Amino acid sequence: MDGQSADYGLPCSENMVFGSGFAEGIALRAGQGGQAMSPAGGAAMEHAFWQAGPMEVTGYQMLDADGGAVVVANVLDRIEHWPARRDPEYKRKKTRARAALEARVAAAFPGFAAHVRAVELATPRTYQRFTNNTDGAGYGALVGTDLSGHGFHYGFPVKGVQFLSSWVAGPGYEAAFSYGEMLARTW
């Protein structure tokens, strides 16, 4: 962002944006209505998760004004319809996902798109690569003796952003809350 996200329509730090067909999205994600949730159902899965599913939008600068103008949009997704990372279709699918999410953010918060300076997209394959989570789950990070895969927490390019989640502390809400409290006490 090139300014304050509140000036461009983001009303608070945590925002839930529902898809245009909320009930349809639930049915699609459950595999109802003849839409198979399988690798063969790629277009149906893209619609179910990227357009018809819920999207959470976080404005980090509202939590810490000195932390930078960072906005994150998250949607549910499943690894089954994502090709391998080196497959040529992977980049095309990633481009479609980015366009779908950017369009939803722009529709929910008019005026926002003109102020975006950079965009990065993480897929279930990205999560699997960096966290080793089962099927690329976006929550948590499997804890092991080699934490080299978690380097993005320590070299995050926006000054002042602290990850207070189980991405940093390990799996489970208890670890996330404990880490958050510990970090807050250091301030």
Side-chain angles (χ1 to χ4, degrees), residues 6-27:
D7 295 341
Y8 310 125
L10 199 66
C12 54
S13 63
E14 299 291 332
N15 305 272
M16 184 63 73
V17 178
F18 293 100
S20 59
F22 187 65
E24 173 200 22
I26 292 171

Side-chain angles (χ1 to χ4, degrees), residues 101-187:
L101 298 184
E102 285 183 287
R104 284 189 68 191
V105 170
F109 309 106
F112 204 78
H115 301 281
V116 174
R117 292 193 323 227
V119 176
E120 179 56 43
L121 181 83
T123 73
R125 297 275 181 215
T126 309
Y127 293 128
Q128 187 177 49
R129 179 180 180 201
F130 287 104
T131 68
N132 195 32
N133 285 357
T134 303
D135 294 330
Y139 185 80
L142 295 181
V143 178
T145 56
D146 177 16
L147 296 179
S148 62
H150 303 288
F152 66 94
H153 299 133
Y154 306 106
F156 195 69
V158 179
K159 182 181 174 284
V161 171
Q162 296 287 328
F163 288 89
L164 302 177
S165 71
S166 65
W167 277 88
V168 175
Y173 285 104
E174 295 85 0
F177 285 118
S178 298
Y179 180 79
E181 181 180 350
M182 181 210 65
L183 188 57
R185 288 176 189 259
T186 65
W187 293 335

Side-chain angles (χ1 to χ4, degrees), residues 5-86:
S5 52
D7 295 341
Y8 310 125
L10 199 66
C12 54
S13 63
E14 299 291 332
N15 305 272
M16 184 63 73
V17 178
F18 293 100
S20 59
F22 187 65
E24 173 200 22
I26 292 171
L28 288 171
R29 289 185 299 281
Q32 300 166 359
Q35 300 293 328
M37 290 290 105
S38 70
M45 290 182 99
E46 289 180 16
H47 176 71
F49 291 106
W50 306 345
Q51 279 94 20
M55 178 173 64
E56 188 274 332
V57 180
T58 302
Y60 281 100
Q61 72 183 160
M62 293 177 175
L63 300 171
D64 179 1
D66 295 330
V70 177
V71 175
V72 176
N74 286 299
V75 294
L76 300 169
D77 206 342
R78 288 176 52 181
I79 202 167
E80 290 88 356
H81 69 105
W82 281 92
R85 285 181 40 253
R86 301 210 188 277

